[in-house]
Amino acid sequence: MIPLRERKQPNRTNRLSLSLLFPVLLCAQPQLLEFTQFSKSLNILESDFTATRISVSSFEDIYLLDSDRSLLVRMSANGQHIRTVGGWGETGELFSTGTDLSASHGLDILLLDSDTHRIIRFDRQLNFLDEINLFQSEDRFEFPVAIARNRLGEVAVASSTDDRVTLMNLAGRSLSVMGDEKYGEDRFSDVMAISVNERNEIGVIDEKVRLVVLNRSGRLLWQRDLDTEVIFVESVGALWFIGNSGGHFALVDQNSYTTVELGQTLSDPVIDVAIKGKKIFILSEPGDVFTASLFQDE
């Protein structure tokens, strides 16, 4: 199997210089405190399950993806294992290369299977509902790597082959395409992660060092260089919560950038985060899940 990053076209580094040259600190430094940890390495199954992605629903159900073993798990808010589905395959609930999942609105769970170019949809209990073949969709594209869903039920999907983000409905109809050739110097070069906020705006991490925010129609609202490389983005109200594998987190908006202070050192690399309200779910490389509370000056 060819690794996702080897399929990519050469990076395009030409893009508009940002007007925001110096970050402005927020009024008070936010903190992550009250850390707790689920059971070590989440021994959900008799055979080893190692989570690679995490998403949390509005009901605080926790969904974990094991991409290597093609498994999807539902857990309760207190860490109790409820159900496991999936397995290797190319149709229905089976998948071969799970890259991301979204459970933010709770009623259904969306999982990306990159090699089969599909969005697989489950209900909250992880019963298979249906699938969308992106390669056969209106704006046909391949190898999806990141997904986020807004309050209107629309889905933003990032492709690894042409570095664009497509906003679509769950019937597979494209609503807008972002970051492609028509964006000129502002086109995306290497989409790492996407998220949506309470205003249905779309945040995109491009080349690990740029945060781009667009509206639903694809209009560029603002963008800024980041102080360090980041690999994920989530929303906290009107702010964007960004971070990297070293456990360095920050809150960002158009005019401000401030680091988040940790009340506990994370000994393992961070591979994903999910947010429900002010609770942050941190997934580390061994597959362990930590929760922490975000405190900030309102």
Side-chain angles (χ1 to χ4, degrees), residues 28 41 95 200 209 226 276:
S41 297
F95 55 96
N200 298 319
V209 294
L226 303 173
K276 173 65 174 67

Side-chain angles (χ1 to χ4, degrees), residues 32 35-38 42 54 56 64 232 241 244 247 249 262 264 266 268-275 279-285 287-293:
L32 279 183
F35 276 77
T36 60
Q37 182 181 4
F38 287 173
L42 295 171
I54 184 171
V56 180
L64 297 168
F232 48 75
F241 183 93
N244 62 21
F249 306 117
L262 270 64
Q264 175 178 317
L266 298 172
D268 295 308
V270 177
I271 55 177
D272 200 13
V273 298
I275 296 178
K279 182 180 283 189
I280 313 296
F281 295 77
I282 302 170
L283 177 62
S284 69
E285 193 169 74
D288 299 326
V289 176
F290 297 85
T291 64
S293 298

Side-chain angles (χ1 to χ4, degrees), residues 72 83-86 90-95 107-111 113 116 118-133:
L72 177 62
R83 190 177 184 190
T84 300
V85 299
E90 298 183 349
T91 59
E93 72 172 41
L94 306 178
F95 55 96
L107 297 180
D108 50 13
I109 313 305
L110 306 176
L111 184 149
D113 188 24
T116 62
R118 291 183 300 152
I119 299 175
I120 306 172
R121 191 162 69 101
F122 301 87
D123 67 14
R124 180 187 172 193
Q125 287 76 35
L126 294 187
N127 297 304
F128 171 75
L129 297 176
D130 55 32
E131 60 187 40
I132 299 172
N133 189 317

Side-chain angles (χ1 to χ4, degrees):
M1 183 180 298
I2 302 173
L4 284 176
R5 291 301 170 198
E6 292 183 14
R7 301 188 189 119
K8 297 180 58 54
Q9 302 170 355
N11 280 353
R12 299 177 292 273
T13 57
N14 229 1
R15 54 183 170 85
L16 188 65
S17 297
L18 304 182
S19 59
L20 297 173
L21 298 179
F22 300 100
V24 179
L25 293 180
L26 297 174
C27 294
Q29 186 168 25
Q31 295 179 302
L32 279 183
L33 303 172
E34 301 176 351
F35 276 77
T36 60
Q37 182 181 4
F38 287 173
S39 59
K40 184 68 176 172
S41 297
L42 295 171
N43 294 320
I44 299 167
L45 309 173
E46 291 183 6
S47 52
D48 293 334
F49 177 96
T50 303
T52 55
R53 287 290 181 269
I54 184 171
S55 188
V56 180
S57 77
S58 55
F59 304 104
E60 289 199 29
D61 293 321
I62 301 163
Y63 296 89
L64 297 168
L65 168 66
D66 183 339
S67 181
D68 293 335
R69 304 189 68 241
S70 299
L71 296 174
L72 177 62
V73 159
R74 177 189 174 200
M75 300 179 69
S76 65
N78 62 8
Q80 179 184 359
H81 172 235
I82 299 175
R83 190 177 184 190
T84 300
V85 299
W88 193 93
E90 298 183 349
T91 59
E93 72 172 41
L94 306 178
F95 55 96
S96 59
T97 319
T99 53
D100 201 8
L101 72 160
S102 173
S104 57
H105 296 283
L107 297 180
D108 50 13
I109 313 305
L110 306 176
L111 184 149
L112 289 182
D113 188 24
S114 181
D115 279 359
T116 62
H117 325 296
R118 291 183 300 152
I119 299 175
I120 306 172
R121 191 162 69 101
F122 301 87
D123 67 14
R124 180 187 172 193
Q125 287 76 35
L126 294 187
N127 297 304
F128 171 75
L129 297 176
D130 55 32
E131 60 187 40
I132 299 172
N133 189 317
L134 300 172
F135 193 64
Q136 297 174 355
S137 65
E138 181 181 4
D139 278 307
R140 170 175 172 157
F141 60 98
E142 305 172 280
F143 306 115
V145 292
I147 188 169
R149 188 172 184 181
N150 65 23
R151 293 173 177 266
L152 302 175
E154 300 161 343
V155 180
V157 183
S159 165
S160 70
T161 52
D162 52 12
D163 291 302
R164 71 183 189 187
V165 175
T166 302
L167 185 69
M168 60 196 309
N169 61 27
L170 286 178
R173 178 174 173 269
S174 295
L175 305 174
S176 56
V177 178
M178 310 170 199
D180 58 0
E181 292 183 358
K182 69 177 180 289
Y183 281 72
E185 292 182 342
D186 288 324
R187 67 196 297 186
F188 299 147
S189 295
D190 189 2
V191 178
M192 300 299 302
I194 58 177
S195 184
V196 295
N197 65 12
E198 60 188 11
R199 295 181 289 205
N200 298 319
E201 297 168 346
I202 301 165
V204 180
I205 299 297
D206 185 33
E207 297 183 272
K208 298 184 180 180
V209 294
R210 179 169 71 132
L211 172 61
V212 182
V213 179
L214 311 104
N215 67 11
R216 291 175 54 243
S217 65
R219 181 169 65 86
L220 177 63
L221 300 177
W222 56 272
Q223 59 179 331
R224 67 177 303 147
D225 284 325
L226 303 173
D227 283 4
T228 185
E229 291 188 350
V230 300
I231 58 172
F232 48 75
V233 58
E234 294 288 340
S235 67
V236 180
L239 300 173
W240 300 97
F241 183 93
I242 60 174
N244 62 21
S245 60
H248 302 290
F249 306 117
L251 285 172
V252 184
D253 66 12
Q254 184 173 3
N255 301 307
S256 60
Y257 180 109
T258 189
T259 56
V260 176
E261 202 171 75
L262 270 64
Q264 175 178 317
T265 301
L266 298 172
S267 57
D268 295 308
V270 177
I271 55 177
D272 200 13
V273 298
I275 296 178
K276 173 65 174 67
K278 296 296 183 181
K279 182 180 283 189
I280 313 296
F281 295 77
I282 302 170
L283 177 62
S284 69
E285 193 169 74
D288 299 326
V289 176
F290 297 85
T291 64
S293 298
L294 177 64
F295 291 88
Q296 60 186 123
D297 183 14
E298 299 294 342

